[in-house]
Amino acid sequence: MRLEIGGYIEFPHYTGSVFHNNAIALNCARNCLVYVIEAKNVKKIAIPKFLCGSVERICRENNVEVSYYSIGMDFLPQNMEIQSDVWLYLVNYYGQVNNERILQIKNKKKNLIVDNVEAFFQLPVEGVDTIYTCRKYFGVPDGGFLYTDSFIKRLLEEDRSAERMTHLLGRFENTASAFYSVYKENESIFKTLPLRKMSKLTEDIMRSYDYDKIKKIREENYNYLNEKLLRYNKLTLNIPQGAFMYPLYIDNGSEVRKKLQKKNIYIPTLWPDVFNICNEIELEYDMAKNILPLPCDQRYDVETMKYLALEVERCLN
């Protein structure tokens, strides 16, 4: 590209850290898994039933044989008797699986991939292939980080993200509901997004954040929700680093979710594909239906958490 001088001023260039400085920066978390499959020549993998369908789809598209395992109330695998040639895909749900536990699993299961999509601030266990996402934590259109000790041989093209910014810029000046359809369109792109390096735009935005401040805010908000709602929660929770969301597991979660939506409080169903994989008597089905992932991110302060907790309690009583 020829050097340009003058003209209109573009988006600012930031010089801060991306937090995961030592990781491979790719265009999305799904393609971090694609990278591991190619680099490690993965042929068989065991994934949890409690998961979105994209992981299974990626595996099958890359000719990886998929099997399923169940999890317990502690979010950990219930059956570790997996053959040596099968990779274990371990999901760190809501940051509830600490590195000590991951290391214990690694000592039992050499072929391990850890999904830290919901644990951005939890650094990886050395020697464990670990995947992170950007857009679940920050206002970016894409991006993922991968820690691995193996590398693919081909050169990767750099992705471009400018056309995926519409829903983010739209919500900045309007409401989430006004640009929700655009957001969903952007999400659908990831189903066919080829493996590429992280775009310059996404990497630049990731260099703009005060990660210490964001981590602190998330932890303070999470702690407040836990103090107020712990007595309703069927889960016994650890306090994660830079929490993703607060998982409130109740018997009538799906009903409360609808009530909250009428109050403009939007609580997602994170893994709707579980309803097709599991039957109604399985724990994963009930968890997908009745866990309310309450937002506690850096957009909000404790006053907002007070309001959120109060509205949740009103819906419960």
Side-chain angles (χ1 to χ4, degrees):
M1 184 181 296
R2 180 179 293 181
L3 175 65
E4 292 183 332
I5 299 176
Y8 62 88
I9 297 176
E10 75 275 20
F11 196 82
H13 293 264
Y14 297 102
T15 57
S17 168
V18 296
F19 191 80
H20 291 292
N21 276 318
N22 297 322
I24 300 171
L26 299 173
N27 57 346
C28 66
R30 298 178 191 187
N31 281 335
C32 290
L33 177 56
V34 173
Y35 191 107
V36 174
I37 289 171
E38 183 174 338
K40 294 289 180 76
N41 194 29
V42 177
K43 296 300 182 184
K44 298 179 181 179
I45 193 167
I47 65 175
K49 296 178 181 178
F50 193 49
L51 193 61
C52 68
S54 63
V55 174
E56 179 192 6
R57 183 169 58 253
I58 287 167
C59 292
R60 297 200 186 282
E61 287 174 353
N62 287 273
N63 300 312
V64 179
E65 182 182 323
V66 176
S67 59
Y68 288 98
Y69 66 84
S70 297
I71 62 168
M73 288 286 287
D74 58 0
F75 295 117
L76 290 170
Q78 292 298 285
N79 181 12
M80 292 297 293
E81 295 179 5
I82 299 172
Q83 295 178 346
S84 59
D85 63 337
V86 178
W87 285 73
L88 175 64
Y89 191 83
L90 180 70
V91 179
N92 188 358
Y93 300 99
Y94 300 101
Q96 291 300 298
V97 186
N98 61 35
N99 280 359
E100 182 180 354
R101 190 70 183 95
I102 292 173
L103 184 58
Q104 291 173 353
I105 294 172
K106 173 65 175 177
N107 290 335
K108 295 179 181 179
K109 183 62 184 169
K110 181 180 178 181
N111 294 334
L112 176 65
I113 301 169
V114 171
D115 180 330
N116 265 356
V117 163
E118 296 184 356
F120 183 88
F121 290 96
Q122 183 173 326
L123 293 174
V125 172
E126 186 176 354
V128 175
D129 296 302
T130 307
I131 295 169
Y132 298 85
T133 188
C134 299
R135 71 185 196 282
K136 288 185 182 296
Y137 272 76
F138 307 99
V140 291
D142 43 49
F145 291 105
L146 170 66
Y147 289 86
T148 184
D149 58 5
S150 297
F151 306 96
I152 61 177
K153 297 179 181 179
R154 60 191 173 99
L155 293 176
L156 294 180
E157 180 184 346
E158 190 175 75
D159 210 340
R160 293 177 179 267
S161 301
E163 294 182 357
R164 301 184 201 128
M165 291 291 292
T166 303
H167 64 290
L168 297 170
L169 299 175
R171 181 170 187 178
F172 187 85
E173 296 181 329
N174 293 277
T175 62
S177 56
F179 281 82
Y180 184 73
S181 61
V182 183
Y183 161 75
K184 293 299 290 184
E185 289 175 9
N186 187 72
E187 288 294 295
S188 67
I189 292 172
F190 293 99
K191 294 180 180 178
T192 57
L193 195 65
L195 172 59
R196 291 173 180 164
K197 294 191 292 185
M198 184 182 291
S199 72
K200 289 181 180 178
L201 178 58
T202 297
E203 183 176 345
D204 189 55
I205 297 172
M206 291 298 293
R207 292 186 183 281
S208 71
Y209 295 113
D210 183 338
Y211 289 105
D212 289 338
K213 181 179 179 181
I214 290 171
K215 181 175 179 291
K216 181 181 178 182
I217 292 171
R218 284 176 169 269
E219 290 170 0
E220 289 176 349
N221 289 341
Y222 184 99
N223 286 338
Y224 182 86
L225 291 177
N226 193 47
E227 289 174 6
K228 294 298 179 181
L229 301 174
L230 177 63
R231 61 195 177 102
Y232 304 108
N233 204 335
K234 295 164 69 173
L235 296 171
T236 301
L237 297 170
N238 303 317
I239 306 300
Q241 303 173 53
F244 169 57
M245 300 177 109
Y246 179 77
L248 178 62
Y249 188 12
I250 51 178
D251 289 328
N252 60 336
S254 59
E255 297 171 17
V256 172
R257 181 182 284 108
K258 294 176 183 177
K259 292 178 181 179
L260 291 172
Q261 185 175 357
K262 294 178 181 179
K263 300 173 182 285
N264 291 334
I265 299 173
Y266 307 116
I267 309 301
T269 301
L270 293 183
W271 297 288
D273 296 295
V274 173
F275 302 132
N276 299 321
I277 297 171
C278 302
N279 58 54
E280 294 185 20
I281 64 171
E282 290 184 89
L283 175 63
E284 288 89 349
Y285 189 102
D286 192 69
M287 292 173 87
K289 180 180 179 182
N290 291 314
I291 289 182
L292 299 177
L294 303 180
C296 61
D297 57 76
Q298 62 270 18
R299 295 172 292 177
Y300 311 113
D301 55 18
V302 172
E303 287 300 314
T304 309
M305 295 298 100
K306 289 180 181 177
Y307 170 76
L308 175 58
L310 180 60
E311 291 300 325
V312 170
E313 287 191 290
R314 284 175 175 168
C315 292
L316 288 172
N317 298 320

